Amino acid sequence: MPIPVSDAFRQAMNAPVRVLSARLVLHPSQDPADDIELSDGDYIISMKLEEEGAYLRECAKKLTLRLKVPENSEYGIAEGLPVSASFGAQIAGGGIEWCEWGDFTIDSIKEDEAKRIYEVSCSDQILSATDHKFEVGQISYPCTIAELARQVATIMDLPLDTNVDELPNAGFMLNDDIFEKITDTSYRQILAEIAGATGTMAYVGRGDNSLDFFPVPTDYSEPDDELDENSMRQYKIGRSWGAVNTVILSRMPQNDNVFEEDLDSVVSDGRTEVKIINNQLLDERREEAAPPLLRALLGYGYTAIDTDTIGHGWHEVGDVVRITVGGRSTTTIITKVAITIGNGIKEHIVGEVPSDEGIDYSKAGGIKRTIYRTELEVDKQEQLIKSIVQRQDESDEANSNQFTQIEQSLTSIVHTIQTTGGNNLIKNSVGFAKDGEGNLTEWASSGAVGAMSSPESLSAGGISGNAITLGASSSIRQRIPVRASSETMYSVGFRVKKGRFGNARISLANGSDMFEISLPEGDADILWEEYGYVAMRPTEGYLDLIVETDAAVTELAVTDLMMNLGDMATGWQQAAGEIMNDQVVLDGNGIKVKSSVYNDYVLITPLEFAGYSDASGTLQKVFTVNRDTTQMQKLQVRDQITMFPIKMIPIKSGARSGMAFVATQEGQ
């Protein structure tokens, strides 16, 4: 799927010396005779193309321009103006061959008057569709998913270049307006829904400006391109993911899943899942939709890569690329591309594998969409009636779910109301709470163990802003009660900072089970990267969570340690009954309020109400309330102390200055 270019162009871009040109064409009208062409010599300082996407969703592109402000003339640049961009390379023989970047629309223009430069931001048709909102009545029903794709292409004024009738689930009939009850739906989101339902990626091609739905690649014997040490300036090869052998169609937050698996592959190779969450096109027919998707995705898998190439310009999101380093080859699929033309060419390529806890690809601010669903399920075999009323808000940061669920059987009614996500099963999960000696509460520890505030982890995407730290040959352990059932799954997730030396391990184990995540010695530091283990099914009623380091480790910090029910790790939360930060700790043991200046604190527990201070040089209890008696180390009173039938009043001046004891009555 790379941009088609000739062998001569490829040879020119792989040459040690390259002669490059940039071209921008303005389209003030639909008549090509009115086009205005800008060249790099007179107007263009730099052009940057960014693509981001993945299979089972859409790909969007952004173009950023730096243009010279003309001295004596205007060339009609304006917001909303269609433009097309390309760059060229001088090939053997002296001619220039162009590599098309596609069509865009100008979103914004900022002028630097001092430097006489325009900063111009442009979007392709899919990125622009973020602001193209769906309105009831624009799509005709009933229709199949294939017919829906054709209608969307027509509404977006794009030719459809894929035979959508041949895609998985394309013939599913949609009888009602699927998006009528989903607020603020954009056509970009509808494209993502179609891609997820059909096992494809929605894409607008650079060269022909048509809408395509590219099937997920599963045969990597003939890659789209190849890279090696000679064509990469620097590179980082990450973890391998796949091959897919299980497809899950999930309703969240109920964790209501329908799956299809290739059992032989699961048994021989282990399970690799693709989870499609809340796809509205398939919601009512998930059992029928899962098998075609599994057939389309079976074998899908690749290795993560992050590289700066020598600069080719023809790579696109979705390309299958074979990477050969040190005589060993692996395959990646491109998910991000950034190409800059200006004083040469820079090209950055990323192949990002799916996260174990899913990826949020929302780009717009605030609530992206709200889904309402009312459902009544009757299970005659179990003699059970289940009623669910659900509202789900999807935003940039998280999914907020609110639902009411009633389960009624012959003997009982269970009524559940949820307004937030699940609770963390790990207590004191990031080390906010410490005892009087500075040890972490809830944890059994050995070696050099502590906790620290971590603004750095927040900058890397963390949530809590606090981290548990371990030195060399150190460990922490906490026993977590769980339910031993093949039907109950648990997942854990966290972020880690680790130096390159030494080995560390995070494990959950009991007498029968072992779930382990290793952090081995490597060539580079780990900087707050996410790790996790999902869908654990313990066979005993507890799991011991253990974090441990060997003698060679110089630094290990763990933040956002989260364990929850379900087959998917969720964002970090505190445990049930906990409210913790740097100054206040509320948990099952009581309340601790710490000074923001000193090491002093007040402790309220079932056993005491007391204050502690190190003003004397050592930490000691300075006041306590014990039933009807208050004891304290020092007391400062401004005006008087009353204890019937006397009161003590200070005499602050004169020959009789001191303390006067005088008679008093109640009320005086």
Side-chain angles (χ1 to χ4, degrees):
M1 207 170 55
I3 298 175
V5 292
S6 69
D7 290 340
F9 185 92
R10 288 175 176 263
Q11 291 172 4
M13 294 305 295
N14 281 303
V17 178
R18 296 172 287 189
V19 179
L20 305 179
S21 300
R23 181 173 65 183
L24 182 71
V25 179
L26 313 181
H27 305 290
S29 73
Q30 295 184 356
D31 187 352
D34 296 331
D35 288 352
I36 301 171
E37 183 174 318
L38 307 181
S39 62
D40 51 357
D42 298 326
Y43 298 106
I44 302 173
I45 300 172
S46 67
M47 301 193 312
K48 182 178 182 180
L49 174 66
E50 297 170 273
E51 293 188 12
E52 182 174 355
Y55 286 99
L56 303 177
R57 70 177 192 91
E58 83 293 354
C59 173
K61 298 193 282 287
K62 177 182 178 181
L63 177 67
T64 304
L65 306 166
R66 299 184 78 241
L67 305 176
K68 298 177 184 177
V69 177
E71 291 284 350
N72 302 312
S73 64
E74 293 291 337
Y75 42 66
I77 191 168
E79 292 183 5
L81 181 70
V83 300
S84 56
S86 57
F87 83 96
Q90 183 174 303
I91 61 176
I96 294 179
E97 183 176 325
W98 297 94
C99 179
E100 298 295 335
W101 279 4
D103 292 347
F104 302 85
T105 300
I106 295 177
D107 294 325
S108 64
I109 304 171
K110 295 181 181 179
E111 182 177 353
D112 187 332
E113 295 183 358
K115 297 181 180 180
R116 299 189 59 79
I117 292 174
Y118 286 137
E119 299 278 354
V120 183
S121 179
C122 312
S123 300
D124 80 331
Q125 288 86 339
I126 291 183
L127 188 57
S128 297
T130 305
D131 298 321
H132 186 178
K133 302 302 181 182
F134 164 80
E135 295 180 10
V136 176
Q138 290 180 325
I139 295 175
S140 299
Y141 294 92
C143 69
T144 64
I145 292 179
E147 290 165 349
L148 174 64
R150 282 190 282 267
Q151 291 189 66
V152 170
T154 300
I155 292 170
M156 295 179 63
D157 195 24
L158 290 171
L160 185 59
D161 199 30
T162 300
N163 185 357
V164 290
D165 294 303
E166 297 181 355
L167 298 177
N169 300 321
F172 272 31
M173 184 63 67
L174 309 174
N175 294 312
D176 302 311
D177 193 334
I178 300 295
F179 306 104
E180 182 178 5
K181 294 294 184 180
I182 305 177
T183 63
D184 205 32
T185 300
S186 73
Y187 277 95
R188 180 179 177 183
Q189 293 162 353
I190 295 176
L191 288 175
E193 295 277 300
I194 296 172
T198 57
T200 60
M201 178 175 64
Y203 190 93
V204 174
R206 290 195 207 164
D208 56 7
N209 198 41
S210 62
L211 176 62
D212 291 285
F213 289 92
F214 292 117
V216 169
T218 56
D219 181 1
Y220 308 123
S221 59
E222 296 184 3
D224 297 311
D225 210 342
E226 299 188 20
L227 296 174
D228 56 25
E229 290 107 326
N230 296 323
S231 53
M232 296 184 291
R233 290 193 172 97
Q234 59 182 12
Y235 56 86
K236 178 182 177 182
I237 297 177
R239 69 183 181 96
S240 295
W241 172 84
V244 169
N245 51 29
T246 305
V247 169
I248 300 174
L249 299 179
S250 179
R251 289 174 180 164
M252 297 296 288
Q254 305 95 300
N255 209 21
D256 174 8
N257 300 314
V258 170
F259 73 94
E260 184 76 8
E261 63 181 352
D262 184 308
L263 188 57
D264 291 341
S265 175
V266 171
V267 171
S268 62
D269 304 322
R271 187 181 301 278
T272 298
E273 301 170 347
V274 164
K275 190 171 187 178
I276 301 173
I277 300 174
N278 293 335
N279 188 289
Q280 299 303 298
L281 304 182
L282 306 179
D283 186 68
E284 299 301 328
R285 301 173 65 179
R286 293 179 298 157
E287 292 82 358
E288 297 176 57
L293 283 174
L294 178 62
R295 289 193 293 271
L297 301 177
L298 194 62
Y300 176 43
Y302 55 99
T303 299
I305 184 72
D306 190 318
T307 179
D308 292 324
T309 74
I310 62 173
H312 292 146
W314 57 74
H315 301 293
E316 293 192 284
V317 166
D319 286 359
V320 176
V321 180
R322 180 177 294 144
I323 310 291
T324 302
V325 175
R328 299 180 62 183
S329 295
T330 188
T331 299
T332 192
I333 294 178
I334 297 176
T335 58
K336 296 179 184 178
V337 176
I339 309 170
T340 302
I341 302 292
N343 294 324
I345 180 172
K346 297 178 181 178
E347 183 177 50
H348 184 69
I349 291 175
V350 175
E352 192 173 51
V353 299
S355 166
D356 290 334
E357 60 180 13
I359 300 173
D360 178 13
Y361 294 105
S362 306
K363 299 301 180 186
I367 291 179
K368 181 181 177 187
R369 63 176 181 173
T370 302
I371 302 173
Y372 299 91
R373 185 165 66 88
T374 302
E375 184 175 303
L376 186 68
E377 296 180 1
V378 179
D379 189 330
K380 297 180 180 179
Q381 298 297 320
E382 297 294 332
Q383 296 182 317
L384 179 71
I385 300 174
K386 181 188 294 185
S387 173
I388 300 172
V389 178
Q390 175 195 358
R391 166 179 168 158
Q392 175 169 339
D393 294 333
E394 295 183 2
S395 66
D396 288 347
E397 301 299 330
N399 288 347
S400 169
N401 299 292
Q402 301 178 30
F403 72 93
T404 301
Q405 177 172 312
I406 301 174
E407 294 187 9
Q408 178 178 346
S409 68
L410 291 176
T411 57
S412 66
I413 296 177
V414 178
H415 185 201
T416 303
I417 299 176
Q418 175 175 315
T419 57
T420 59
N423 289 318
N424 197 343
L425 301 178
I426 305 169
K427 297 182 182 297
N428 194 20
S429 57
V430 294
F432 279 127
K434 300 178 182 178
D435 61 19
E437 298 179 356
N439 299 317
L440 301 182
T441 64
E442 307 293 348
W443 294 93
S445 62
S446 65
V449 175
M452 66 176 185
S453 177
S454 177
E456 182 187 41
S457 68
L458 292 175
S459 300
I463 299 174
S464 65
N466 215 63
I468 296 174
T469 60
L470 289 86
S473 301
S474 302
S475 68
I476 55 174
R477 176 191 296 260
Q478 182 177 145
R479 177 157 293 189
I480 302 169
V482 296
R483 181 182 177 189
S485 168
S486 60
E487 301 299 321
T488 304
M489 293 180 287
Y490 296 87
S491 296
V492 67
F494 51 90
R495 288 180 179 269
V496 168
K497 180 179 181 181
K498 177 185 173 294
R500 68 183 63 184
F501 300 111
N503 299 287
R505 182 177 71 165
I506 291 92
S507 61
L508 293 107
N510 54 38
S512 304
D513 308 304
M514 169 64 79
F515 309 100
E516 180 179 311
I517 300 166
S518 297
L519 304 170
E521 190 170 280
D523 297 329
D525 295 347
I526 299 173
L527 297 177
W528 302 116
E529 293 184 16
E530 290 183 274
Y531 292 84
Y533 205 116
V534 299
M536 297 179 291
R537 291 181 171 90
T539 57
E540 296 186 23
Y542 72 94
L543 284 172
D544 284 333
L545 172 59
I546 305 169
V547 183
E548 53 191 337
T549 61
D550 68 11
V553 167
T554 56
E555 177 185 28
L556 180 71
V558 182
T559 188
D560 294 354
L561 192 52
M562 176 76 190
M563 181 174 171
N564 57 272
L565 277 165
D567 60 351
M568 178 177 172
T570 62
W572 179 81
Q573 302 171 39
Q574 301 191 22
E578 288 185 346
I579 300 175
M580 296 185 180
N581 54 43
D582 285 336
Q583 269 68 57
V584 179
V585 173
L586 187 157
D587 59 16
N589 298 316
I591 302 173
K592 184 177 184 179
V593 181
K594 295 178 282 187
S595 168
S596 61
V597 180
Y598 306 108
N599 291 324
D600 305 352
Y601 60 88
V602 175
L603 197 62
I604 304 175
T605 74
L607 298 178
E608 66 174 339
F609 178 7
Y612 292 79
S613 175
D614 64 354
S616 63
T618 59
L619 187 69
Q620 56 184 316
K621 187 184 296 186
V622 294
F623 81 83
T624 182
V625 178
N626 186 6
R627 300 194 72 183
D628 61 351
T629 302
T630 300
Q631 299 174 335
M632 60 191 66
Q633 188 162 319
K634 295 180 181 179
L635 176 66
Q636 181 173 332
V637 180
R638 291 192 183 93
D639 294 322
Q640 69 181 38
I641 298 174
T642 301
M643 183 173 59
F644 299 113
I646 64 170
K647 61 182 176 182
M648 293 172 280
I649 301 175
I651 300 174
K652 299 181 180 179
S653 61
R656 295 175 180 254
S657 61
M659 182 72 72
F661 291 78
V662 299
T664 185
Q665 297 179 3
E666 289 194 44
Q668 293 184 342

